[in-house]
Amino acid sequence: MVGKDTESSRPSTHRDFNLLWFGQSLSLVGNQFLVIGLPLLAVLVVGASPAQAVLLPFLMFTPFLLFGLPVGALVDRLPKRKTMVFADLIQMVVYTLVAILSIKGLMVFPLLMGLVFIAGIATVFFQVAYNSFLPEIYSCKSDLQKGNAKLFFSESIARTLGPMVAGPIIAIFAPPMAILLNGISFFISALTLGVIRSNKKNISPSTVHVRPSLMTEIKIGLKFVMSHPKIEPVFSCGAIYVFFLTIIETSLVLYCKDVLLLSPVGIGFVIGAAAAGFPLANLLSPKLMAHFGVSHTLVIGAVTSVVGIFFIAIFGAAGSVVGLVAASVLHGFGEGVFGPTSLTLRQTETPLDLLGRVNSVQRFMIWGAIPLGSVFTSLIIKYVGLEWTLWVGGLGCILCLLPLIRRGILADLRIPYTKLRSDTANG
Protein backbone atom coordinates (compact mmCIF):
# COMPACT_ATOMS: atom_id res chain seq x y z
CA MET A 1 0.00 0.00 0.00
CA VAL A 2 1.01 3.61 -0.34
CA GLY A 3 2.59 5.43 2.55
CA LYS A 4 4.97 8.28 3.25
CA ASP A 5 8.11 8.56 1.17
CA THR A 6 10.74 11.26 1.26
CA GLU A 7 11.34 10.71 -2.49
CA SER A 8 8.13 12.63 -3.15
CA SER A 9 9.93 15.86 -2.27
CA ARG A 10 12.79 15.35 -4.74
CA PRO A 11 12.89 17.73 -7.76
CA SER A 12 13.24 14.78 -10.16
CA THR A 13 10.01 13.31 -8.80
CA HIS A 14 8.08 16.50 -9.49
CA ARG A 15 9.77 16.74 -12.91
CA ASP A 16 8.52 13.26 -13.77
CA PHE A 17 5.00 14.16 -12.68
CA ASN A 18 5.03 17.40 -14.66
CA LEU A 19 6.08 15.51 -17.80
CA LEU A 20 3.26 13.02 -17.25
CA TRP A 21 0.82 15.86 -16.59
CA PHE A 22 1.82 17.85 -19.69
CA GLY A 23 1.71 14.91 -22.09
CA GLN A 24 -1.59 13.60 -20.81
CA SER A 25 -3.16 17.06 -20.88
CA LEU A 26 -2.47 17.39 -24.62
CA SER A 27 -3.57 13.81 -25.27
CA LEU A 28 -6.82 14.42 -23.39
CA VAL A 29 -7.57 17.41 -25.62
CA GLY A 30 -7.03 15.14 -28.62
CA ASN A 31 -9.43 12.59 -27.14
CA GLN A 32 -12.14 15.23 -27.03
CA PHE A 33 -11.58 15.90 -30.73
CA LEU A 34 -12.37 12.22 -31.17
CA VAL A 35 -15.60 12.45 -29.15
CA ILE A 36 -17.14 14.81 -31.71
CA GLY A 37 -15.09 13.91 -34.77
CA LEU A 38 -15.59 10.14 -34.83
CA PRO A 39 -19.42 9.95 -34.93
CA LEU A 40 -19.56 12.86 -37.39
CA LEU A 41 -16.91 11.23 -39.56
CA ALA A 42 -18.91 7.99 -39.57
CA VAL A 43 -22.16 9.72 -40.55
CA LEU A 44 -20.97 12.58 -42.79
CA VAL A 45 -17.87 11.11 -44.47
CA VAL A 46 -18.27 7.32 -44.38
CA GLY A 47 -22.06 7.35 -44.80
CA ALA A 48 -23.00 5.29 -41.74
CA SER A 49 -26.43 5.53 -40.12
CA PRO A 50 -26.83 6.97 -36.60
CA ALA A 51 -27.50 3.47 -35.25
CA GLN A 52 -24.22 2.30 -36.80
CA ALA A 53 -22.27 5.34 -35.60
CA VAL A 54 -23.10 4.72 -31.93
CA LEU A 55 -21.61 1.22 -32.28
CA LEU A 56 -18.11 2.72 -32.59
CA PRO A 57 -17.78 3.17 -28.79
CA PHE A 58 -18.82 -0.50 -28.53
CA LEU A 59 -15.82 -1.51 -30.63
CA MET A 60 -13.51 0.91 -28.84
CA PHE A 61 -14.34 -0.42 -25.38
CA THR A 62 -15.14 -4.10 -26.05
CA PRO A 63 -11.43 -4.93 -25.57
CA PHE A 64 -11.88 -4.01 -21.90
CA LEU A 65 -14.34 -6.89 -21.60
CA LEU A 66 -12.25 -9.29 -23.68
CA PHE A 67 -8.74 -8.46 -22.50
CA GLY A 68 -9.06 -6.23 -19.42
CA LEU A 69 -8.36 -8.85 -16.73
CA PRO A 70 -5.38 -10.59 -18.38
CA VAL A 71 -3.90 -7.22 -19.34
CA GLY A 72 -3.96 -6.24 -15.66
CA ALA A 73 -1.90 -9.30 -14.75
CA LEU A 74 0.49 -8.61 -17.63
CA VAL A 75 0.90 -4.94 -16.70
CA ASP A 76 1.94 -5.96 -13.18
CA ARG A 77 4.80 -7.88 -14.87
CA LEU A 78 5.73 -5.28 -17.52
CA PRO A 79 7.41 -1.87 -17.15
CA LYS A 80 4.41 0.45 -17.00
CA ARG A 81 5.99 3.49 -18.63
CA LYS A 82 7.20 1.54 -21.68
CA THR A 83 3.80 -0.12 -21.96
CA MET A 84 2.14 3.31 -22.07
CA VAL A 85 4.58 4.58 -24.74
CA PHE A 86 3.96 1.55 -26.95
CA ALA A 87 0.17 1.90 -26.59
CA ASP A 88 0.36 5.61 -27.45
CA LEU A 89 2.31 4.89 -30.63
CA ILE A 90 -0.20 2.28 -31.77
CA GLN A 91 -3.08 4.71 -31.29
CA MET A 92 -1.13 7.42 -33.14
CA VAL A 93 -0.72 5.12 -36.16
CA VAL A 94 -4.37 3.99 -36.11
CA TYR A 95 -5.96 7.44 -35.96
CA THR A 96 -3.53 8.94 -38.45
CA LEU A 97 -4.45 6.13 -40.84
CA VAL A 98 -8.17 6.76 -40.26
CA ALA A 99 -7.71 10.45 -41.08
CA ILE A 100 -5.63 9.87 -44.24
CA LEU A 101 -7.94 7.19 -45.66
CA SER A 102 -10.97 9.39 -44.95
CA ILE A 103 -9.39 12.41 -46.65
CA LYS A 104 -8.62 10.29 -49.73
CA GLY A 105 -12.17 8.88 -49.77
CA LEU A 106 -10.98 5.31 -49.18
CA MET A 107 -12.54 4.76 -45.76
CA VAL A 108 -15.46 2.33 -45.45
CA PHE A 109 -17.39 1.54 -42.28
CA PRO A 110 -16.16 -2.06 -41.76
CA LEU A 111 -12.53 -0.85 -41.99
CA LEU A 112 -13.29 2.00 -39.59
CA MET A 113 -14.76 -0.52 -37.16
CA GLY A 114 -11.64 -2.69 -37.35
CA LEU A 115 -9.24 0.21 -36.80
CA VAL A 116 -11.26 1.51 -33.84
CA PHE A 117 -11.13 -1.99 -32.31
CA ILE A 118 -7.33 -2.08 -32.65
CA ALA A 119 -7.10 1.34 -30.99
CA GLY A 120 -9.33 -0.03 -28.23
CA ILE A 121 -6.88 -2.86 -27.49
CA ALA A 122 -4.05 -0.34 -27.17
CA THR A 123 -6.27 1.76 -24.89
CA VAL A 124 -6.70 -1.20 -22.52
CA PHE A 125 -2.94 -1.52 -22.03
CA PHE A 126 -2.49 2.24 -21.66
CA GLN A 127 -5.29 2.81 -19.17
CA VAL A 128 -4.40 -0.09 -16.88
CA ALA A 129 -0.74 0.98 -16.83
CA TYR A 130 -1.63 4.68 -16.51
CA ASN A 131 -3.76 4.22 -13.39
CA SER A 132 -1.00 2.09 -11.85
CA PHE A 133 1.86 4.45 -12.73
CA LEU A 134 1.39 7.47 -10.47
CA PRO A 135 2.23 5.54 -7.25
CA GLU A 136 5.62 4.82 -8.85
CA ILE A 137 6.20 8.59 -8.92
CA TYR A 138 4.45 9.61 -5.68
CA SER A 139 4.14 7.28 -2.70
CA CYS A 140 2.84 9.79 -0.15
CA LYS A 141 -0.97 9.75 0.17
CA SER A 142 -1.31 13.54 0.11
CA ASP A 143 0.89 13.78 -3.00
CA LEU A 144 -1.16 11.06 -4.67
CA GLN A 145 -4.43 12.88 -3.99
CA LYS A 146 -3.00 16.17 -5.29
CA GLY A 147 -1.52 14.45 -8.32
CA ASN A 148 -4.78 12.69 -9.14
CA ALA A 149 -6.67 15.96 -8.71
CA LYS A 150 -4.31 17.69 -11.16
CA LEU A 151 -4.65 14.91 -13.74
CA PHE A 152 -8.43 14.94 -13.41
CA PHE A 153 -8.35 18.75 -13.62
CA SER A 154 -6.54 18.50 -16.96
CA GLU A 155 -9.14 16.01 -18.15
CA SER A 156 -11.85 18.42 -17.09
CA ILE A 157 -10.30 21.36 -18.94
CA ALA A 158 -9.87 19.13 -22.00
CA ARG A 159 -13.51 18.08 -21.83
CA THR A 160 -14.46 21.77 -21.77
CA LEU A 161 -12.09 23.28 -24.33
CA GLY A 162 -11.55 20.25 -26.60
CA PRO A 163 -15.06 20.08 -28.08
CA MET A 164 -15.24 23.89 -28.37
CA VAL A 165 -12.07 23.89 -30.48
CA ALA A 166 -13.01 20.71 -32.36
CA GLY A 167 -16.38 22.12 -33.46
CA PRO A 168 -14.95 25.01 -35.56
CA ILE A 169 -12.14 22.78 -36.90
CA ILE A 170 -14.68 20.21 -38.09
CA ALA A 171 -16.86 22.97 -39.55
CA ILE A 172 -13.91 24.41 -41.52
CA PHE A 173 -11.74 21.38 -42.33
CA ALA A 174 -14.22 18.45 -41.98
CA PRO A 175 -14.08 15.60 -39.38
CA PRO A 176 -10.88 13.89 -40.64
CA MET A 177 -8.79 16.84 -39.43
CA ALA A 178 -10.05 16.35 -35.87
CA ILE A 179 -9.07 12.68 -36.03
CA LEU A 180 -5.60 13.58 -37.37
CA LEU A 181 -5.00 16.05 -34.53
CA ASN A 182 -5.94 13.31 -32.08
CA GLY A 183 -3.29 11.08 -33.63
CA ILE A 184 -0.69 13.83 -33.21
CA SER A 185 -1.61 14.20 -29.53
CA PHE A 186 -0.74 10.53 -28.94
CA PHE A 187 2.71 11.14 -30.44
CA ILE A 188 3.32 14.04 -28.04
CA SER A 189 2.16 11.89 -25.11
CA ALA A 190 4.62 9.14 -26.12
CA LEU A 191 7.47 11.68 -26.27
CA THR A 192 6.84 13.04 -22.77
CA LEU A 193 6.51 9.55 -21.30
CA GLY A 194 9.74 8.56 -23.01
CA VAL A 195 11.83 11.05 -21.05
CA ILE A 196 10.41 10.24 -17.60
CA ARG A 197 13.10 8.62 -15.43
CA SER A 198 10.93 7.26 -12.60
CA ASN A 199 11.84 3.74 -11.47
CA LYS A 200 9.62 1.08 -9.93
CA LYS A 201 9.89 0.93 -6.16
CA ASN A 202 8.23 -0.44 -3.01
CA ILE A 203 7.90 -4.01 -4.35
CA SER A 204 9.46 -6.76 -2.31
CA PRO A 205 12.01 -9.04 -4.02
CA SER A 206 9.87 -12.10 -3.31
CA THR A 207 6.98 -10.53 -5.21
CA VAL A 208 9.20 -9.90 -8.20
CA HIS A 209 10.89 -13.32 -8.42
CA VAL A 210 8.05 -15.67 -7.45
CA ARG A 211 5.40 -15.56 -10.15
CA PRO A 212 2.23 -17.70 -10.15
CA SER A 213 0.37 -18.42 -13.38
CA LEU A 214 -1.45 -15.62 -15.20
CA MET A 215 -4.86 -17.08 -14.33
CA THR A 216 -3.90 -17.31 -10.65
CA GLU A 217 -2.85 -13.66 -10.66
CA ILE A 218 -6.16 -12.66 -12.26
CA LYS A 219 -8.05 -14.55 -9.54
CA ILE A 220 -5.98 -12.85 -6.83
CA GLY A 221 -6.91 -9.43 -8.23
CA LEU A 222 -10.62 -10.32 -8.47
CA LYS A 223 -10.65 -11.76 -4.94
CA PHE A 224 -9.03 -8.64 -3.52
CA VAL A 225 -11.57 -6.34 -5.17
CA MET A 226 -14.65 -8.39 -4.31
CA SER A 227 -13.62 -8.80 -0.67
CA HIS A 228 -12.74 -5.15 -0.11
CA PRO A 229 -15.53 -3.35 1.81
CA LYS A 230 -15.09 -0.04 -0.03
CA ILE A 231 -13.51 -0.76 -3.41
CA GLU A 232 -16.18 -3.30 -4.44
CA PRO A 233 -19.15 -0.95 -3.78
CA VAL A 234 -17.38 1.81 -5.71
CA PHE A 235 -16.70 -0.48 -8.68
CA SER A 236 -20.25 -1.88 -8.69
CA CYS A 237 -21.70 1.63 -8.54
CA GLY A 238 -19.42 2.70 -11.38
CA ALA A 239 -20.45 -0.19 -13.63
CA ILE A 240 -24.16 0.67 -13.42
CA TYR A 241 -23.47 4.40 -13.67
CA VAL A 242 -21.28 4.09 -16.76
CA PHE A 243 -23.73 1.74 -18.51
CA PHE A 244 -26.53 4.30 -18.39
CA LEU A 245 -24.24 7.32 -18.82
CA THR A 246 -22.96 5.71 -22.04
CA ILE A 247 -26.50 5.78 -23.41
CA ILE A 248 -26.47 9.55 -22.99
CA GLU A 249 -22.91 10.21 -24.08
CA THR A 250 -22.94 8.03 -27.21
CA SER A 251 -26.18 9.61 -28.42
CA LEU A 252 -25.71 13.22 -27.29
CA VAL A 253 -23.77 14.41 -30.36
CA LEU A 254 -26.36 12.89 -32.69
CA TYR A 255 -29.19 14.13 -30.42
CA CYS A 256 -27.86 17.68 -30.74
CA LYS A 257 -27.54 17.26 -34.51
CA ASP A 258 -30.82 15.53 -35.37
CA VAL A 259 -33.22 16.53 -32.56
CA LEU A 260 -31.94 19.94 -31.46
CA LEU A 261 -30.74 20.72 -35.03
CA LEU A 262 -27.43 22.25 -33.91
CA SER A 263 -24.44 22.89 -36.20
CA PRO A 264 -21.00 21.32 -35.51
CA VAL A 265 -19.98 24.58 -33.82
CA GLY A 266 -23.12 24.48 -31.66
CA ILE A 267 -22.55 20.83 -30.81
CA GLY A 268 -18.97 21.60 -29.77
CA PHE A 269 -20.22 24.40 -27.52
CA VAL A 270 -22.83 22.20 -25.83
CA ILE A 271 -20.46 19.27 -25.25
CA GLY A 272 -17.62 21.55 -24.11
CA ALA A 273 -19.66 23.88 -21.90
CA ALA A 274 -21.30 20.87 -20.31
CA ALA A 275 -17.92 19.84 -18.88
CA ALA A 276 -17.41 23.14 -17.05
CA GLY A 277 -18.33 21.57 -13.70
CA PHE A 278 -15.38 19.19 -13.74
CA PRO A 279 -12.45 21.61 -13.16
CA LEU A 280 -13.91 23.23 -10.05
CA ALA A 281 -14.81 19.85 -8.59
CA ASN A 282 -11.32 18.46 -9.25
CA LEU A 283 -9.78 21.38 -7.38
CA LEU A 284 -12.21 20.98 -4.47
CA SER A 285 -12.05 17.18 -4.19
CA PRO A 286 -8.91 17.06 -1.97
CA LYS A 287 -10.47 19.60 0.41
CA LEU A 288 -13.78 17.74 0.47
CA MET A 289 -12.03 14.45 1.17
CA ALA A 290 -9.96 16.01 3.96
CA HIS A 291 -13.11 17.56 5.48
CA PHE A 292 -15.70 14.79 5.06
CA GLY A 293 -13.60 11.65 4.57
CA VAL A 294 -13.48 9.33 1.57
CA SER A 295 -16.87 7.63 1.88
CA HIS A 296 -18.91 10.79 2.47
CA THR A 297 -17.13 12.52 -0.41
CA LEU A 298 -17.87 9.60 -2.74
CA VAL A 299 -21.57 9.67 -1.89
CA ILE A 300 -21.75 13.47 -2.26
CA GLY A 301 -20.16 13.19 -5.69
CA ALA A 302 -22.35 10.30 -6.83
CA VAL A 303 -25.65 11.88 -5.73
CA THR A 304 -24.75 15.22 -7.33
CA SER A 305 -23.81 13.56 -10.60
CA VAL A 306 -26.97 11.45 -10.74
CA VAL A 307 -29.18 14.49 -10.12
CA GLY A 308 -27.41 16.33 -12.94
CA ILE A 309 -27.89 13.43 -15.35
CA PHE A 310 -31.59 13.23 -14.53
CA PHE A 311 -31.98 16.91 -15.40
CA ILE A 312 -30.08 16.33 -18.67
CA ALA A 313 -32.97 14.10 -19.72
CA ILE A 314 -35.56 16.68 -18.64
CA PHE A 315 -33.98 19.68 -20.37
CA GLY A 316 -32.98 17.64 -23.43
CA ALA A 317 -36.58 16.54 -23.89
CA ALA A 318 -37.71 20.15 -23.44
CA GLY A 319 -35.30 21.30 -26.16
CA SER A 320 -33.58 23.74 -23.80
CA VAL A 321 -29.91 24.06 -24.74
CA VAL A 322 -29.23 26.34 -21.74
CA GLY A 323 -30.89 23.87 -19.36
CA LEU A 324 -29.01 20.98 -20.96
CA VAL A 325 -25.69 22.73 -20.36
CA ALA A 326 -26.60 23.69 -16.78
CA ALA A 327 -27.63 20.12 -15.92
CA SER A 328 -24.44 18.77 -17.47
CA VAL A 329 -22.36 21.20 -15.40
CA LEU A 330 -24.01 19.83 -12.25
CA HIS A 331 -23.35 16.28 -13.42
CA GLY A 332 -19.75 17.17 -14.18
CA PHE A 333 -19.24 18.66 -10.73
CA GLY A 334 -20.41 15.45 -9.08
CA GLU A 335 -18.30 13.22 -11.30
CA GLY A 336 -15.34 15.57 -10.84
CA VAL A 337 -15.53 14.99 -7.09
CA PHE A 338 -16.10 11.25 -7.34
CA GLY A 339 -13.37 10.43 -9.88
CA PRO A 340 -10.14 11.51 -8.14
CA THR A 341 -11.48 10.42 -4.74
CA SER A 342 -12.23 6.89 -5.95
CA LEU A 343 -8.86 6.65 -7.72
CA THR A 344 -7.00 7.75 -4.58
CA LEU A 345 -9.01 5.19 -2.58
CA ARG A 346 -7.86 2.25 -4.67
CA GLN A 347 -4.28 3.53 -4.97
CA THR A 348 -3.94 3.87 -1.19
CA GLU A 349 -5.86 0.71 -0.25
CA THR A 350 -4.15 -1.60 -2.77
CA PRO A 351 -0.65 -3.10 -2.46
CA LEU A 352 1.54 -1.70 -5.25
CA ASP A 353 2.25 -5.12 -6.77
CA LEU A 354 -1.54 -5.72 -7.04
CA LEU A 355 -2.43 -2.31 -8.42
CA GLY A 356 -2.33 -3.28 -12.10
CA ARG A 357 -4.77 -6.14 -11.53
CA VAL A 358 -7.07 -4.03 -9.37
CA ASN A 359 -7.10 -1.30 -12.02
CA SER A 360 -7.81 -3.91 -14.69
CA VAL A 361 -10.82 -5.15 -12.69
CA GLN A 362 -11.98 -1.53 -12.48
CA ARG A 363 -11.59 -1.08 -16.24
CA PHE A 364 -13.22 -4.47 -16.89
CA MET A 365 -16.27 -3.66 -14.77
CA ILE A 366 -16.66 0.05 -15.50
CA TRP A 367 -15.23 0.64 -18.97
CA GLY A 368 -16.52 -2.80 -19.93
CA ALA A 369 -20.00 -1.38 -19.36
CA ILE A 370 -19.43 1.10 -22.22
CA PRO A 371 -19.76 -1.39 -25.11
CA LEU A 372 -22.85 -2.90 -23.49
CA GLY A 373 -24.35 0.57 -23.14
CA SER A 374 -23.43 1.36 -26.76
CA VAL A 375 -25.25 -1.71 -28.05
CA PHE A 376 -28.28 -0.87 -25.90
CA THR A 377 -28.20 2.69 -27.26
CA SER A 378 -28.19 1.39 -30.83
CA LEU A 379 -31.23 -0.78 -30.05
CA ILE A 380 -33.06 2.17 -28.47
CA ILE A 381 -32.39 4.37 -31.52
CA LYS A 382 -33.41 1.64 -33.95
CA TYR A 383 -36.61 0.45 -32.27
CA VAL A 384 -37.78 3.38 -30.12
CA GLY A 385 -36.07 6.50 -31.44
CA LEU A 386 -33.13 8.80 -30.71
CA GLU A 387 -35.24 11.11 -28.56
CA TRP A 388 -35.71 8.36 -25.91
CA THR A 389 -32.02 7.81 -25.22
CA LEU A 390 -31.70 10.67 -22.71
CA TRP A 391 -34.71 9.45 -20.69
CA VAL A 392 -33.42 5.88 -20.42
CA GLY A 393 -29.94 7.05 -19.44
CA GLY A 394 -31.16 9.70 -17.01
CA LEU A 395 -33.53 7.44 -15.12
CA GLY A 396 -31.23 4.42 -15.17
CA CYS A 397 -28.30 6.24 -13.57
CA ILE A 398 -30.27 6.55 -10.33
CA LEU A 399 -29.82 2.80 -9.81
CA CYS A 400 -26.07 3.20 -9.30
CA LEU A 401 -26.61 4.58 -5.79
CA LEU A 402 -27.97 1.24 -4.54
CA PRO A 403 -24.70 -0.77 -4.68
CA LEU A 404 -22.63 2.20 -3.49
CA ILE A 405 -24.32 2.88 -0.15
CA ARG A 406 -23.56 -0.44 1.58
CA ARG A 407 -20.71 -2.40 3.23
CA GLY A 408 -17.77 -0.19 4.19
CA ILE A 409 -19.25 2.94 2.61
CA LEU A 410 -22.50 2.57 4.58
CA ALA A 411 -20.56 1.83 7.77
CA ASP A 412 -18.67 5.12 7.38
CA LEU A 413 -21.90 7.03 6.73
CA ARG A 414 -23.26 5.77 10.05
CA ILE A 415 -20.32 7.20 11.99
CA PRO A 416 -21.37 10.40 13.84
CA TYR A 417 -20.12 13.48 12.02
CA THR A 418 -18.21 14.83 15.05
CA LYS A 419 -16.29 11.55 15.41
CA LEU A 420 -15.64 11.51 11.65
CA ARG A 421 -14.17 15.02 11.80
CA SER A 422 -11.98 14.01 14.75
CA ASP A 423 -10.72 10.86 12.99
CA THR A 424 -10.07 12.77 9.77
CA ALA A 425 -8.12 15.47 11.59
CA ASN A 426 -6.03 12.90 13.46
CA GLY A 427 -5.42 10.70 10.38
Side-chain angles (χ1 to χ4, degrees):
M1 297 188 188
V2 177
K4 293 183 179 180
D5 193 334
T6 56
E7 291 183 3
S8 297
S9 61
R10 294 180 181 177
S12 61
T13 299
H14 294 297
R15 170 191 172 275
D16 288 340
F17 174 77
N18 288 333
L19 285 168
L20 175 69
W21 191 15
F22 175 75
Q24 291 314 298
S25 297
L26 289 181
S27 182
L28 288 165
V29 172
N31 288 343
Q32 293 308 305
F33 279 46
L34 192 68
V35 168
I36 294 181
L38 194 59
L40 292 180
L41 179 122
V43 173
L44 300 177
V45 179
V46 182
S49 67
Q52 289 175 317
V54 298
L55 287 176
L56 291 175
F58 168 80
L59 293 162
M60 186 178 296
F61 291 100
T62 292
F64 283 94
L65 283 174
L66 299 178
F67 311 116
L69 295 178
V71 165
L74 285 171
V75 165
D76 278 336
R77 300 181 177 195
L78 297 172
K80 295 177 178 62
R81 182 176 61 87
K82 292 181 180 179
T83 300
M84 293 160 66
V85 170
F86 186 66
D88 267 341
L89 292 176
I90 291 177
Q91 292 178 87
M92 176 199 72
V93 171
V94 167
Y95 289 118
T96 301
L97 186 60
V98 168
I100 292 173
L101 291 177
S102 298
I103 291 171
K104 292 183 175 295
L106 300 176
M107 179 59 67
V108 293
F109 192 68
L111 177 58
L112 179 62
M113 293 170 67
L115 289 171
V116 167
F117 184 77
I118 293 172
I121 296 175
T123 303
V124 175
F125 278 90
F126 183 91
Q127 286 296 325
V128 172
Y130 175 60
N131 282 321
S132 307
F133 184 60
L134 189 59
E136 293 187 10
I137 298 177
Y138 288 142
S139 51
C140 173
K141 182 176 180 180
S142 61
D143 286 334
L144 265 179
Q145 176 66 14
K146 292 175 184 177
N148 285 326
K150 289 178 180 179
L151 291 170
F152 272 87
F153 177 77
S154 293
E155 181 177 354
S156 303
I157 295 297
R159 292 176 71 163
T160 302
L161 298 181
M164 291 183 177
V165 176
I169 288 176
I170 292 171
I172 298 172
F173 299 106
M177 180 56 68
I179 307 301
L180 180 61
L181 291 174
N182 182 50
I184 294 173
S185 74
F186 283 114
F187 177 69
I188 296 174
S189 173
L191 284 179
T192 57
L193 287 169
V195 295
I196 290 177
R197 296 194 297 265
S198 177
N199 295 315
K200 182 182 288 189
K201 54 181 179 285
N202 293 345
I203 298 180
S204 63
S206 61
T207 304
V208 174
H209 295 295
V210 180
R211 284 289 186 186
S213 68
L214 198 65
M215 183 58 66
T216 300
E217 290 194 332
I218 292 172
K219 291 179 180 178
I220 291 171
L222 281 169
K223 182 179 180 181
F224 179 85
V225 169
M226 295 306 169
S227 62
H228 198 284
K230 294 181 181 178
I231 293 178
E232 182 274 322
V234 170
F235 283 12
S236 298
C237 166
I240 296 173
Y241 171 83
V242 168
F243 176 84
F244 287 103
L245 180 64
T246 298
I247 297 174
I248 291 179
E249 290 191 336
T250 55
S251 61
L252 189 56
V253 171
L254 299 177
Y255 190 94
C256 290
K257 174 181 173 289
D258 295 338
V259 178
L260 301 181
L261 304 177
L262 298 180
S263 66
V265 174
I267 295 173
F269 174 78
V270 169
I271 302 298
F278 284 87
L280 177 61
N282 294 155
L283 293 176
L284 289 177
S285 64
K287 298 182 183 298
L288 290 173
M289 194 176 81
H291 185 77
F292 293 109
V294 171
S295 296
H296 286 73
T297 302
L298 288 170
V299 173
I300 290 170
V303 171
T304 303
S305 184
V306 166
V307 170
I309 293 172
F310 179 71
F311 279 109
I312 287 175
I314 292 176
F315 287 117
S320 171
V321 175
V322 174
L324 186 64
V325 170
S328 296
V329 169
L330 182 63
H331 147 61
F333 183 86
E335 190 172 317
V337 169
F338 189 93
T341 305
S342 62
L343 179 55
T344 300
L345 170 68
R346 67 177 183 269
Q347 287 176 339
T348 54
E349 292 288 323
T350 305
L352 193 59
D353 61 313
L354 262 178
L355 194 53
R357 279 164 282 174
V358 170
N359 283 325
S360 73
V361 175
Q362 189 262 355
R363 290 311 194 208
F364 173 79
M365 292 179 63
I366 296 178
W367 286 36
I370 296 176
L372 302 179
S374 300
V375 171
F376 196 53
T377 306
S378 182
L379 294 174
I380 294 172
I381 293 173
K382 183 175 181 179
Y383 294 107
V384 184
L386 182 62
E387 61 275 8
W388 282 94
T389 53
L390 300 189
W391 278 116
V392 175
L395 292 171
C397 274
I398 299 173
L399 299 175
C400 78
L401 299 176
L402 298 178
L404 176 65
I405 307 176
R406 60 190 181 87
R407 298 188 67 185
I409 303 294
L410 179 60
D412 282 355
L413 295 180
R414 288 172 171 167
I415 297 175
Y417 182 69
T418 53
K419 184 178 186 302
L420 175 69
R421 287 297 310 278
S422 176
D423 291 344
T424 302
N426 294 331

